[in-house]
Amino acid sequence: MNLVLLVSIFVLCIGTSLEGASRSNVSVGAIFTFSTINGQVSKIAMLAAEHDINSDPRILGGRKLSISFHDSNFSGFLGIMGALQFMETDTIAIIGPQNAVMAHVLSHLANELRVPLLSFTALDPTLSPLQYPFFVQTAPNDEFQMTAIAEMVSYYGWAEVIAIYSDDDQSRNGVITLGDKLAERRCKISYKSALPPDPTGNENDVTNELVKVRMMESRVIVLHTFSKTGLMVFDVARRLGMMDSGYVWIATTWLSTVLDSKPLLASTKSNSIKGALTLRPHTPDSKRKKDFMLRWNKLSNGSIELNPYGLYAYDTVWIIAHAIKLFLDQGNTISFSNDSNLIGLGGGILNLGALSIFDGGNQFLKNILQTNMMGLSGPIRFNQEIQDRSPLRPSFDIINVVEHGHQLIGYWSNYSGLSVVPPETLYGKPPNRSSSNQHLNDVVWPGGVTEKPRGWVFPDNGRKLRIGVPNRVSYRDFVYKDNGSDIVHGYCIEVFHAALNFLPYSVPHTFILYGDGHKNPNYNELVNKVTTGVSCNLLFNSENDELIILTYPVILLLQDFDAAVGDIAIVTNRTKTIDFTQPYIESGLVVVAPVKKLNSNAWAFLRPFTPLMWAVTAIFFLVVGAVVWILEHRINDEFRGPPKRQIVTVLWFTFSTMFFAHRENTVSTLGRIVLIIWLFVVLIINSSYTASLTSILTVRQLSSPIKGIDTLMTSNDRVGYQVGSFAENYLIEELSIPKSRLVALGSPEEYTLALLNGTVAAVVDERPYVDLFLSDHCQFSIRGVEFTKSGWGFAFPRDSPLAIDMSTAILTLSENGELQKIHDRWLLKKSCSSDSESSQVDSEQLHIESFLGLFLICGIASFLALFIYVCLMVHQFKRYTPEDPDPSIACSFRSARLQTFLSFADEKVERMKSKSKRKRKDMSIPSNSFGEETEPRNGSDRIQRDISQERSNGGSWRE
């Protein structure tokens, strides 16, 4: 009885002691695969941090930090089970998981139970704080790593990369981010090669993918995977010859962890990884870091070397410790409560009902994010933005693997970009990320070369470039093939070869004729052959490392042609699918039509003006002469006299103004105004006539009813075009000319025959062809001007680097004059070229429209002058010859008054003024405005009497 009581008391005391001990411990879980490099290093570093924290009672106030480890062993399922076990034992935080696949799953559990997850290896950039608020990345995520790689690609001037990655969440999303960052710098991922998730991939899987990669054009390869798969990729690449000169390999941080933590393993793989570039998270030097590195051999017992992720593991434990200390100092208690969503799910092996919510989880998470301390990896702070909780100022070392180890060639930081000085030395300066401030040290590339690789080669492992060439049957000066051989010549071919000579590398190529040889090929179809894809099968023999036969399917984008060279016009619909080089010759559509030579004859002097222009000019000469006569007649003796004399005077005065030789002076203001305006008009007409007549008599003149493309658009005439040219589509689609009006012509001979027999009114073709055609056919001419502007270029697949290099070469040819020399050798013809040049001068006559404004001004001025003059005359006449009020004689009075007005208008003003000088004897007798004595008279009889008296006196009113 007493024995039982004693045992009971002992058990009760032990239980109470254990309960007190459990309450004095703070439980933290860690989920890793401890057989991996990062798993081994992280466990040692976290145990060291746990020891250092528990050794200082000031940190947790007498409590002990207890880290429980769970090995997920590459299994997502085991990782989830470990997390559930931690949640059942009142764990306040979990370090891990190691990869993003489990992080996406466990973050939902952390959100529900308010237990923070802190990971420095699950760096998937899609683990957004908005979706996973309780997941905290304590190391820079892969978005910064991919930004660094994109800036390296841009720095070296490469346009395309190939991405090889493990097909899991972290690697896949990292490559997507890389594509976005490259696009911001006008680069791109040309091909993505997915490998099975690490560590399930085998050598055959890797070989199959690398065989496809070797067939690609790009030689810049970004390898984003994990150590086991990554080293396997390098081994297979070496056997395939993909670690030779010309290749560029950029590995993500997995390779730097191998170099740092497994130097012996790296040395055995040195031949496979030599020349590769890799990134390492940058951790500034400090005394604490050096002291910890000195402790590392003792902590690890020499089993593994330290890498930056070991430093992040150590700091992550300290982040949790500082957050716990702050949490307790704030007066909070560590407590858990049941999750109402899990009521009824208890029991069974999983015992889900035991899962509980961390009551202080929100505050604890807030404390973690407010961390501001100095760790082994440097200053530790987090961005406080809701959408970005990454560590401040992430940076990376850029490492080059060399013969006996590796060398540091520079740094990348989110603050200053690429540099050769540590990022922390630049933080005190203003950020300057211009291209001139981006620098890296020299690199030893694969194959041991120090010259920067071009970054691309021709596809299919350097086979000859298949170049499509149009098999022309006409205008063979541009492209033609020797009879009985495969040698291709012509203007376009010589330009292409000349441009190749300026490239810093050789371009093995072969020309393949496109077309049946009976008619010119369709150039749109030729261009499409550069982009059409086909599929093929390949086999790789792993025993002798050779590509031998086709067995398993590999889909490649192989074109019928790798390029197209010839007289290919650069037009809009073609640029949508392919890339063109810089134009090497200008081109554009023009209209060619028969012309008739206008020979000089006796009446050639009439050609400058149209008949209407001659008629209008003659009429204005007469009108202006009549107007000036009317304005000057009453006051100018030179414009008075018998009728015949006045007619001769008007005609003489009118036509003498043509030569500015008129002798008659104008004295009236209105007359002088009209004459000045008319002389200006005559000056313009004379100058235009002289210039036009000079051109007619000195330059060969050609006449044609076709004036240009506008004439063809408004008429119903048939139009010819060259077979295969883009002119057909342009005339139909852009100018809306019905297809029924178009006639296909295949050669210059067909042009000539169709134009001469009237089958077509004109031919529309590109300028280079037309210039060559007109050099031998002087009876035709270009009508109007070019109505399109384009050029000829060489066609390459979209985003082909060769298109850029060839464009640079063509510009060099143009600048040094070689391009013009090639043009003159092939296309400059002497037989009819001078006539061809002169035939472009059109025999356009001067039309009335060109002088309409001048005639309008002159006409208005003449009309206004006459109107003012008549108004003044009427006013004077009414003032001094009042109307008779007697209505019985109104009709005869109006007739007599009209005659009186005409006589008044014909009277010379000076005589009237002389009459006014006579003294009036009778003040009752009024005088008119001209000084003439008058007497009051009533009725038409007095008017008739005065008229008769004047006539009897010699007709003084008419003189």
Side-chain angles (χ1 to χ4, degrees):
M1 181 76 176
N2 294 331
L3 180 61
V4 173
L5 180 61
L6 290 174
V7 171
S8 299
I9 294 172
F10 177 77
V11 171
L12 181 61
C13 292
I14 293 297
T16 303
S17 177
L18 290 174
E19 182 179 358
S22 63
R23 289 179 179 176
S24 64
N25 291 337
V26 180
S27 297
V28 175
I31 303 175
F32 281 85
T33 298
F34 294 114
S35 60
T36 62
I37 295 176
N38 283 339
Q40 297 175 46
V41 171
S42 299
K43 184 174 183 178
I44 296 172
M46 287 187 286
L47 288 173
E50 178 188 30
H51 175 269
D52 293 344
I53 292 169
N54 291 333
S55 299
D56 188 350
R58 296 172 300 174
I59 304 299
L60 298 181
R63 292 175 180 255
K64 298 294 183 179
L65 182 68
S66 176
I67 303 178
S68 301
F69 297 94
H70 176 80
D71 190 353
S72 61
N73 195 25
F74 298 103
S75 172
F77 174 76
L78 293 179
I80 295 173
M81 293 300 101
L84 292 175
Q85 291 177 1
F86 288 145
M87 300 300 183
E88 292 177 355
T89 56
D90 296 343
T91 300
I92 66 168
I94 296 176
I95 303 175
Q98 187 171 344
N99 59 66
V101 177
M102 286 191 293
H104 281 280
V105 177
L106 298 184
S107 293
H108 293 285
L109 184 62
N111 291 345
E112 178 67 23
L113 301 180
R114 303 174 194 166
V115 176
L117 294 177
L118 291 84
S119 180
F120 47 87
T121 54
L123 303 176
D124 185 351
T126 65
L127 287 165
S128 167
L130 293 177
Q131 185 177 8
Y132 308 113
F134 278 84
F135 183 81
V136 180
Q137 293 170 328
T138 58
N141 67 36
D142 285 345
E143 178 181 358
F144 304 104
Q145 182 176 199
M146 296 308 170
T147 302
I149 293 175
E151 292 200 8
M152 291 169 59
V153 171
S154 178
Y155 171 77
Y156 287 113
W158 299 314
E160 297 181 3
V161 303
I162 294 175
I164 302 177
Y165 62 97
S166 295
D167 196 12
D168 56 39
D169 287 351
Q170 181 160 326
S171 299
R172 188 187 309 111
N173 293 331
V175 168
I176 293 173
T177 303
L178 174 63
D180 295 338
K181 298 302 179 181
L182 287 172
E184 293 174 2
R185 293 156 179 82
R186 302 178 66 85
C187 306
K188 71 172 186 176
I189 299 177
S190 60
Y191 182 73
K192 297 179 182 179
S193 178
L195 301 175
D198 194 79
T200 61
N202 55 52
E203 191 169 317
N204 286 334
D205 296 328
V206 173
T207 300
N208 294 344
E209 289 300 319
L210 290 187
V211 167
K212 290 186 284 186
V213 170
R214 193 174 67 167
M215 304 294 289
M216 299 299 169
E217 187 176 76
S218 176
R219 286 294 183 263
V220 181
I221 302 171
V222 176
L223 183 57
H224 185 41
T225 180
F226 301 96
S227 58
K228 180 179 181 299
T229 302
L231 293 174
M232 189 188 304
V233 168
F234 277 117
D235 285 338
V236 176
R238 179 186 58 81
R239 295 201 302 269
L240 290 175
M242 298 175 68
M243 294 303 299
D244 296 336
S245 60
Y247 281 88
V248 176
W249 287 85
I250 303 176
T252 50
T253 53
W254 67 267
L255 181 56
S256 66
T257 63
V258 175
L259 297 174
D260 292 335
S261 298
K262 295 286 186 179
L264 293 178
L265 177 60
S267 63
T268 61
K269 303 289 185 179
S270 60
N271 289 332
S272 299
I273 62 177
K274 187 169 56 178
L277 298 178
T278 184
L279 300 179
R280 173 204 289 150
H282 176 70
T283 55
D285 292 332
S286 64
K287 185 177 183 305
R288 288 189 61 200
K289 177 182 174 181
K290 292 179 181 179
D291 293 342
F292 186 77
M293 294 175 68
L294 293 175
R295 292 174 55 195
W296 184 259
N297 286 333
K298 182 178 179 181
L299 294 173
S300 63
N301 294 323
S303 61
I304 194 168
E305 298 294 332
L306 178 64
N307 66 48
Y309 291 103
L311 303 179
Y312 283 115
Y314 184 90
D315 288 344
T316 300
V317 177
W318 274 92
I319 291 173
I320 295 175
H322 280 285
I324 294 172
K325 182 178 184 303
L326 180 60
F327 182 81
L328 296 175
D329 291 344
Q330 292 169 342
N332 299 308
T333 59
I334 299 176
S335 62
F336 295 83
S337 59
N338 294 329
D339 188 351
S340 60
N341 294 326
L342 299 177
I343 296 177
L345 296 180
I349 298 177
L350 294 179
N351 193 22
L352 296 179
L355 299 177
S356 55
I357 296 175
F358 180 22
D359 295 328
N362 290 327
Q363 183 61 45
F364 185 57
L365 174 64
K366 184 178 180 181
N367 293 347
I368 290 175
L369 297 177
Q370 291 178 347
T371 299
N372 187 358
M373 70 179 203
M374 180 62 69
L376 298 182
S377 60
I380 301 176
R381 283 185 298 166
F382 296 95
N383 284 315
Q384 297 302 313
E385 299 179 10
I386 297 177
Q387 298 181 356
D388 181 15
R389 295 193 314 211
S390 61
L392 288 176
R393 292 178 177 173
S395 57
F396 292 89
D397 300 336
I398 302 176
I399 297 172
N400 178 211
V401 182
V402 294
E403 183 72 31
H404 301 292
H406 57 274
Q407 62 180 1
L408 183 67
I409 64 168
Y411 306 89
W412 177 90
S413 73
N414 198 39
Y415 182 81
S416 56
L418 301 174
S419 66
V420 293
V421 297
E424 54 270 18
T425 63
L426 301 174
Y427 291 151
K429 302 178 181 179
N432 189 347
R433 303 190 62 175
S434 62
S435 58
S436 60
N437 289 320
Q438 304 296 293
H439 300 287
L440 291 175
N441 290 325
D442 294 336
V443 178
V444 178
W445 304 98
V449 299
T450 56
E451 183 181 357
K452 184 199 73 172
R454 189 168 74 243
W456 66 274
V457 296
F458 301 112
D460 200 8
N461 201 24
R463 60 170 172 77
K464 287 186 176 181
L465 204 66
R466 300 185 304 271
I467 300 178
V469 176
N471 189 9
R472 296 196 59 88
V473 296
S474 63
Y475 296 112
R476 292 167 59 84
D477 299 79
F478 297 103
V479 176
Y480 73 93
K481 182 178 77 71
D482 281 343
N483 294 329
S485 70
D486 294 332
I487 301 176
V488 183
H489 297 284
Y491 165 71
C492 302
I493 304 302
E494 185 170 345
V495 172
F496 179 74
H497 283 147
L500 289 182
N501 293 334
F502 282 94
L503 298 184
Y505 48 86
S506 62
V507 181
H509 62 276
T510 180
F511 291 119
I512 302 174
L513 292 176
Y514 178 75
D516 57 12
H518 300 292
K519 64 178 181 179
N520 294 332
N522 187 298
Y523 280 62
N524 287 332
E525 295 177 359
L526 172 61
V527 169
N528 290 335
K529 292 292 184 180
V530 180
T531 59
T532 304
V534 296
S535 63
C536 66
N537 293 332
L538 301 171
L539 169 69
F540 180 79
N541 187 339
S542 60
E543 295 182 358
N544 54 15
D545 299 339
E546 293 181 356
L547 193 66
I548 51 176
I549 59 174
L550 307 178
T551 60
Y552 56 84
V554 177
I555 304 300
L556 295 178
L557 291 178
L558 298 179
Q559 298 83 19
D560 290 354
F561 299 127
D562 299 309
V565 171
D567 46 336
I568 305 173
I570 304 173
V571 294
T572 303
N573 64 328
R574 295 173 185 171
T575 58
K576 294 178 180 178
T577 57
I578 62 173
D579 281 349
F580 280 96
T581 62
Q582 176 80 12
Y584 58 88
I585 187 174
E586 292 184 358
S587 181
L589 293 179
V590 294
V591 176
V592 179
V595 292
K596 179 181 178 182
K597 183 177 180 180
L598 297 178
N599 297 318
S600 297
N601 54 43
W603 303 101
F605 69 90
L606 294 176
R607 288 181 187 170
F609 292 161
T610 61
L612 180 60
M613 179 66 183
W614 280 115
V616 172
T617 303
I619 292 173
F620 261 83
F621 270 107
L622 297 175
V623 170
V624 171
V627 170
V628 172
W629 179 85
I630 293 173
L631 297 177
E632 295 289 324
H633 178 67
R634 300 185 71 239
I635 59 177
N636 193 336
D637 290 336
E638 294 181 355
F639 289 89
R640 299 187 63 82
K644 291 183 179 180
R645 177 186 173 187
Q646 295 303 299
I647 294 174
V648 172
T649 299
V650 169
L651 294 177
W652 168 255
F653 174 82
T654 296
F655 291 102
S656 63
T657 57
M658 180 185 301
F659 310 102
F660 306 97
H662 50 284
R663 295 177 300 177
E664 294 78 8
N665 294 321
T666 54
V667 296
S668 68
T669 302
L670 294 176
R672 288 176 177 176
I673 292 175
V674 172
L675 183 60
I676 288 174
I677 294 175
W678 172 243
L679 290 178
F680 177 75
V681 174
V682 170
L683 175 64
I684 300 301
I685 293 175
N686 280 344
S687 301
S688 302
Y689 176 85
T690 303
S692 180
L693 184 61
T694 301
S695 175
I696 290 173
L697 297 179
T698 58
V699 181
R700 180 180 180 226
Q701 297 294 304
L702 302 176
S703 176
S704 171
I706 305 299
K707 305 303 180 183
I709 189 62
D710 293 336
T711 304
L712 297 179
M713 293 174 61
T714 57
S715 68
N716 293 321
D717 296 331
R718 295 168 68 83
V719 181
Y721 67 92
Q722 184 182 173
V723 174
S725 171
F726 77 95
E728 178 185 12
N729 290 337
Y730 186 88
L731 293 172
I732 295 174
E733 297 175 3
E734 300 296 332
L735 303 183
S736 301
I737 296 178
K739 188 174 183 179
S740 59
R741 289 179 52 196
L742 303 182
V743 178
L745 303 173
S747 66
E749 293 74 19
E750 293 185 19
Y751 284 15
T752 304
L753 183 61
L755 289 170
L756 292 179
N757 63 19
T759 303
V760 296
V763 172
V764 174
D765 205 351
E766 295 177 64
R767 185 61 182 262
Y769 301 122
V770 170
D771 288 342
L772 205 58
F773 172 72
L774 294 179
S775 65
D776 296 324
H777 300 82
C778 303
Q779 67 271 40
F780 307 107
S781 174
I782 296 175
R783 311 305 296 168
V785 297
E786 294 183 24
F787 53 93
T788 65
K789 287 292 183 181
S790 61
W792 290 354
F794 304 133
F796 292 91
R798 176 71 73 183
D799 299 325
S800 171
L802 188 56
I804 300 175
D805 292 347
M806 286 293 288
S807 293
T808 304
I810 290 172
L811 288 175
T812 304
L813 286 174
S814 178
E815 292 171 357
N816 63 19
E818 184 64 25
L819 194 62
Q820 185 63 41
K821 294 178 182 178
I822 297 174
H823 176 275
D824 294 343
R825 281 198 297 269
W826 286 95
L827 305 180
L828 187 60
K829 305 297 182 180
K830 300 297 184 181
S831 60
C832 202
S833 58
S834 59
D835 290 339
S836 177
E837 291 295 330
S838 63
S839 67
Q840 298 181 26
V841 180
D842 201 355
S843 60
E844 295 289 346
Q845 294 177 307
L846 297 176
H847 295 269
I848 187 64
E849 290 80 4
S850 302
F851 304 90
L852 190 58
L854 289 173
F855 286 133
L856 187 61
I857 293 173
C858 185
I860 293 174
S862 299
F863 174 78
L864 291 177
L866 281 178
F867 180 77
I868 294 172
Y869 178 77
V870 170
C871 289
L872 291 176
M873 289 289 297
V874 171
H875 174 71
Q876 293 175 359
F877 181 74
K878 285 185 176 181
R879 180 177 179 182
Y880 298 107
T881 57
E883 295 184 4
D884 196 317
D886 189 357
S888 61
I889 56 175
C891 182
S892 60
F893 175 77
R894 282 194 297 269
S895 176
R897 190 172 182 82
L898 177 60
Q899 295 180 11
T900 304
F901 176 76
L902 294 176
S903 298
F904 175 78
D906 190 50
E907 177 68 32
K908 187 175 181 181
V909 173
E910 291 182 355
R911 177 175 180 181
M912 292 182 177
K913 291 182 178 180
S914 64
K915 293 180 181 180
S916 65
K917 294 179 181 179
R918 291 178 299 175
K919 296 182 178 180
R920 291 185 294 271
K921 297 180 180 180
D922 188 354
M923 295 303 296
S924 62
I925 300 176
S927 61
N928 60 22
S929 61
F930 302 103
E932 292 184 289
E933 295 178 356
T934 61
E935 59 181 78
R937 22 190 170 176
N938 295 318
S940 60
D941 54 336
R942 293 185 179 182
I943 296 175
Q944 293 295 332
R945 185 188 62 190
D946 292 340
I947 294 174
S948 299
Q949 183 180 357
E950 289 295 330
R951 288 177 179 174
S952 63
N953 292 333
S956 62
W957 281 29
R958 287 190 173 87
E959 291 181 350

